[in-house]
Amino acid sequence: MSSYHSAARLDEARRVAIFGGTHGNEMSGVMLVNLWVQNNTEVQRKGVEVQPFITNPKAVEKCTRYVDTDLNRAFTPENLSTLGGGDLPYEVRRAQEINRMFGPKGSPEAYDVIFDLHNTTSNMGCTLLLESSKDHFNLQMMNYIQASVSNSNLYLPVDTLHRSSLNSLEVGPQPQGVLRSNIFESMRDILKHALDFIELFNAGRTHYIFRLSERIDYPRDDNGNIIAMVHPNLQDCDWEPLNPGDPMFQTFDGKTIHYQGSGTVYPTFINEAAYYEKQQAFATTRRESLVASAIRKA
């Protein structure tokens, strides 16, 4: 979820978009958005225009992550400004269309808040990816959600100034191309509380967030072939502490590779299916605290 303006918004968010299908095989967001396109009564709030929107319809139709390139990585300044029309990859053209409809990004005309709905095959529960630690509106919204939903985490990427994708809500575990009722309802519940918050402004409090530290690849041989898998002790342990010396990988001949970092980290996106192509076995994060300043209606 994202404030599409470059500066933090301290007044009420008047226009909200809910994106589903950015990855066409992540079914919870696809089904929820399709539901709300047909009947948006559930997501409407007083004084707020809420627009559900399928972002990558061709990928949704094929039930695949993307057609030509990852839409979630296509919102770079270069892609948004490049010319080429029909010669461009489908997702680049789609990113330009979305930017015109809901942006332009960073402009006063842009939508105030965007929710980008995703599933993960990792056992991450409900995870909210926040673009900036200085966005007080979104910090307060995270606070409200975390107080309402016990199994929710806040994740702050380290490269916030260079992110090319919208901030997102990740809910898992759910296989690609599959719809699980519990994951569907968890995502629905998060959205309910987030939309409820948009009319409320709470006092500041401390949030615990997880900041990206490092992306860890699978062990490989000299030819680039994977030679080990995620260790059973680590599998499905997203957000649980990984200490130096803890088992990290298990080679195909049964040997254990231990974590050799300098301190405790909190792994996430463990064994995410979509990240094999990105050469990532999991990401390590470090737990931090942030204080959201109190905000008030304008």
Side-chain angles (χ1 to χ4, degrees):
M1 62 196 63
S2 172
S3 286
Y4 223 47
H5 297 285
S6 57
R9 291 293 299 257
L10 299 183
D11 54 345
E12 287 185 333
R14 295 294 185 180
R15 296 195 300 165
V16 176
I18 304 174
F19 288 173
T22 298
H23 295 139
N25 57 3
E26 296 177 1
M27 301 306 295
S28 296
V30 171
M31 295 302 184
L32 280 171
V33 167
N34 279 332
L35 174 68
W36 294 328
V37 166
Q38 295 298 318
N39 184 351
N40 66 2
T41 303
E42 180 181 345
V43 295
Q44 291 304 314
R45 297 296 185 275
K46 183 178 179 180
V48 182
E49 174 194 340
V50 180
Q51 181 66 50
F53 185 75
I54 293 291
T55 49
N56 199 338
K58 286 189 177 181
V60 170
E61 182 181 357
K62 296 176 180 294
C63 196
T64 187
R65 184 174 174 85
Y66 53 80
V67 176
D68 293 325
T69 190
D70 193 335
L71 178 59
N72 209 30
R73 308 293 188 269
F75 291 87
T76 63
E78 294 78 11
N79 282 340
L80 295 179
S81 61
T82 192
L83 303 177
D87 295 330
L88 294 173
Y90 170 71
E91 278 82 7
V92 173
R93 286 184 278 125
R94 191 63 177 162
Q96 293 178 348
E97 294 171 5
I98 292 167
N99 191 54
R100 286 193 294 268
M101 294 174 66
F102 296 95
K105 189 172 184 178
S107 74
E109 295 78 25
Y111 268 58
D112 299 309
V113 179
I114 291 178
F115 299 90
D116 192 23
L117 308 183
H118 290 269
N119 290 121
T120 172
T121 62
S122 299
N123 188 33
M124 291 171 57
C126 301
T127 301
L128 306 152
L129 281 74
L130 181 60
E131 190 172 57
S132 171
S133 61
K134 297 180 180 180
D135 186 330
H136 296 296
F137 181 88
N138 274 336
L139 276 175
Q140 289 284 4
M141 182 160 58
M142 301 306 114
N143 171 50
Y144 183 83
I145 293 170
Q146 286 182 307
S148 305
V149 181
S150 58
N151 186 28
S152 60
N153 297 290
L154 180 57
Y155 175 60
L156 182 66
V158 69
D159 53 346
T160 55
L161 296 180
H162 305 287
R163 282 180 58 80
S164 58
S165 62
L166 300 178
N167 286 337
S168 64
L169 165 62
E170 297 270 0
V171 186
Q174 178 170 283
Q176 296 167 358
V178 172
L179 185 65
R180 290 181 52 174
S181 60
N182 61 321
I183 302 300
F184 177 90
E185 292 298 341
S186 292
M187 182 175 285
R188 190 179 204 167
D189 193 41
I190 288 277
L191 261 295
K192 172 192 178 301
H193 291 296
L195 292 170
D196 287 345
F197 169 80
I198 288 176
E199 295 180 316
L200 303 172
F201 296 97
N202 298 323
R205 61 170 287 182
T206 299
H207 306 264
Y208 290 103
I209 61 99
F210 298 90
R211 188 183 296 272
L212 176 64
S213 177
E214 185 179 7
R215 295 179 174 90
I216 306 294
D217 190 12
Y218 296 90
R220 299 176 184 269
D221 62 20
D222 293 339
N223 296 318
N225 299 312
I226 292 175
I227 59 172
M229 52 197 157
V230 171
H231 195 278
N233 288 10
L234 180 59
Q235 182 64 55
D236 298 328
C237 292
D238 298 76
W239 306 118
E240 296 183 17
L242 178 66
N243 301 301
D246 285 349
M248 182 170 59
F249 294 109
Q250 182 174 292
T251 65
F252 297 149
D253 58 2
K255 296 179 181 177
T256 296
I257 299 174
H258 300 272
Y259 176 61
Q260 300 297 324
S262 59
T264 299
V265 294
Y266 296 82
T268 189
F269 288 107
I270 297 173
N271 205 18
E272 165 60 47
Y275 289 174
Y276 275 76
E277 69 177 44
K278 304 180 189 303
Q279 298 186 333
Q280 177 179 311
F282 60 91
T284 62
T285 69
R286 298 189 183 278
R287 183 172 173 172
E288 300 180 4
S289 61
L290 289 175
V291 177
S293 302
I295 59 178
R296 60 183 181 276
K297 295 182 180 180

